[in-house]
Amino acid sequence: MKAKVYVTLKDGILDPQGKAVQQSLHHLGYPAIKEVRLGKYIEIELSPMPLEEAKRAVAEMCRKLLANTVIENFRFEVE
Amino acid sequence: MRFGILVFPGSNCDHDCYHVIKHLLGQPADFIWHKETDLRGVDAVIIPGGFSYGDYLRTGAIAQYSPVMKSVRDFARAGGPVLGICNGFQILLEAGLLPGAMLRNRSLKFICKDVFVRVETAETPFTAAIASGRVLKLPIAHAEGNYYADPETLRELQENRQVVFRYCTKEGRISDEANPNGSLDSIAGICNRSRNVLGVMPHPERCTEGLDGNTDGRLFFQSVLEQSGIQSR
């Protein structure tokens, strides 16, 4: 059982890393790029458990540690 | 006055703090390993700078759950003075003992230089002996010091006068050029509502002896001693 967690900066939060990547992509000849925002992708291998239980646990992990909800949003898939 | 200095894997300013307290101020100081839960009756807690847990995930994110932090929470709730310096400030934010969060510096660079900060309020244990409005020269050394809070939190910080330090020019003027990292409202340090927990990005412990012609950082430590009625050396 595996959880895939995506942590992204909230809208309106400045992302200097994204800006730097965006500029680099412009220099590489991709002028059509409007914005780049960087986030984190986290894979969690879980012992088998009921799906709902796994979702609850992963949501809790996100709120407690994986994301800082002052500046970040999270979403995840469990499969 | 007995000081407890927390040590996480990756702390690297712990010995600097110890040196200042023990050898300059002549006060007892204990290192407290992050796995300990007993603060051993210390009168003040310092969370030093460094790279706790290698800054993995986010600065301070993993340290907030070290066993010692539960005791620090209780200590803070009981009104004990807590000073978080640089990574210590980041840990206090992640632990929710101070509001807001740190973002990467807007320049994306690790910035290591002297800056000027204006003392906005003397009403914390660590600024009690510093006149409000005074400009201090202090070194910063960080990559994530770009303070952020949502508009409502910022308003609360301002209304309750919890903004303790702001980056400024040598003359004490707040300006975008004098803001090294892009911090919201030029914030360099804040305290909690009950004013006993202070987080600062600059390193007061690095300018206490005058070896580099600067002793401004010493005022932090003298403040907390004077508040407890102790004459420091």
Side-chain angles (χ1 to χ4, degrees):
Chain A
M1 197 167 204
K2 187 187 258 183
K4 298 175 173 177
V5 180
Y6 305 85
V7 180
T8 51
L9 281 172
K10 285 183 175 174
D11 285 346
I13 302 281
L14 185 76
D15 180 8
Q17 289 190 87
K19 277 256 172 345
V21 172
Q22 180 186 341
Q23 278 170 13
S24 186
L25 288 171
H26 278 167
H27 290 313
L28 284 171
Y30 301 99
I33 293 170
K34 280 189 182 159
E35 194 182 19
V36 177
R37 295 186 60 85
L38 264 61
K40 296 187 184 105
Y41 170 65
I42 303 161
E43 280 186 350
I44 303 170
E45 206 64 57
L46 295 161
S47 307
M49 65 176 91
L51 187 62
E52 283 312 306
E53 192 185 320
K55 284 182 176 173
R56 259 200 311 278
V58 173
E60 199 178 291
M61 292 174 209
C62 288
R63 279 192 300 271
K64 278 189 176 168
L65 180 65
L66 301 179
N68 179 337
T69 54
V70 176
I71 49 172
E72 293 169 326
N73 289 324
F74 63 83
R75 65 188 168 84
F76 59 84
E77 299 146 12
V78 181
E79 54 197 43
Chain B
M1 184 172 196
R2 185 163 213 99
F3 288 79
I5 302 160
L6 305 193
V7 184
F8 297 90
S11 296
N12 65 12
C13 302
D14 41 350
H15 281 266
D16 303 56
C17 291
Y18 184 89
H19 173 68
V20 172
I21 292 157
K22 186 96 173 180
H23 304 126
L24 257 67
L25 302 171
Q27 301 299 316
D30 281 3
F31 287 120
I32 300 175
W33 181 237
H34 72 117
K35 287 200 170 154
E36 295 182 42
T37 51
D38 182 4
L39 294 180
R40 297 181 226 152
V42 296
D43 305 299
V45 168
I46 296 184
I47 311 182
F51 299 85
S52 59
Y53 294 92
D55 281 350
Y56 295 158
L57 192 63
R58 294 178 308 276
T59 55
I62 299 184
Q64 68 172 309
Y65 290 114
S66 277
V68 76
M69 287 307 292
K70 194 186 169 303
S71 310
V72 171
R73 243 178 254 273
D74 294 341
F75 180 80
R77 204 172 295 132
V82 178
L83 172 63
I85 302 167
C86 196
N87 188 226
F89 186 7
Q90 294 162 340
I91 293 169
L92 288 172
L93 291 170
E94 284 284 343
L97 284 166
L98 291 173
M102 285 297 176
L103 300 168
R104 283 287 283 272
N105 294 344
R106 63 180 162 189
S107 64
L108 282 174
K109 292 191 171 75
F110 185 99
I111 306 170
C112 184
K113 65 173 186 182
D114 284 336
V115 297
F116 295 99
V117 297
R118 194 171 75 193
V119 181
E120 302 291 289
T121 171
E123 283 177 57
T124 82
F126 300 97
T127 55
I130 317 175
S132 174
R134 180 165 169 184
V135 175
L136 305 180
K137 184 164 96 171
L138 300 170
I140 55 167
H142 61 247
E144 280 93 3
N146 184 350
Y147 180 79
Y148 172 82
D150 61 50
E152 194 186 330
T153 305
L154 178 64
R155 193 171 45 76
E156 278 176 27
L157 286 173
Q158 291 165 337
E159 278 176 8
N160 301 319
R161 297 178 24 263
Q162 288 171 253
V163 178
V164 183
F165 298 100
R166 293 173 79 200
Y167 299 110
C168 65
T169 64
K170 194 177 176 184
E171 295 76 30
R173 199 166 43 80
I174 308 296
S175 75
D176 195 49
E177 295 77 57
N179 181 346
N181 50 29
S183 266
L184 186 70
D185 201 31
S186 292
I187 285 172
I190 56 169
C191 66
N192 62 345
R193 260 191 107 151
S194 38
R195 314 198 78 82
N196 59 312
V197 178
L198 173 65
V200 288
M201 283 319 287
H203 287 271
E205 81 283 9
R206 291 189 188 176
C207 50
T208 50
E209 292 182 89
L211 295 172
D212 57 352
N214 185 7
T215 56
D216 283 358
R218 198 162 171 153
L219 295 165
F220 283 62
F221 302 96
Q222 281 171 344
S223 289
V224 71
L225 288 183
E226 280 178 29
Q227 256 220 334
S228 306
I230 299 165
Q231 274 303 324
S232 61
R233 285 185 196 164

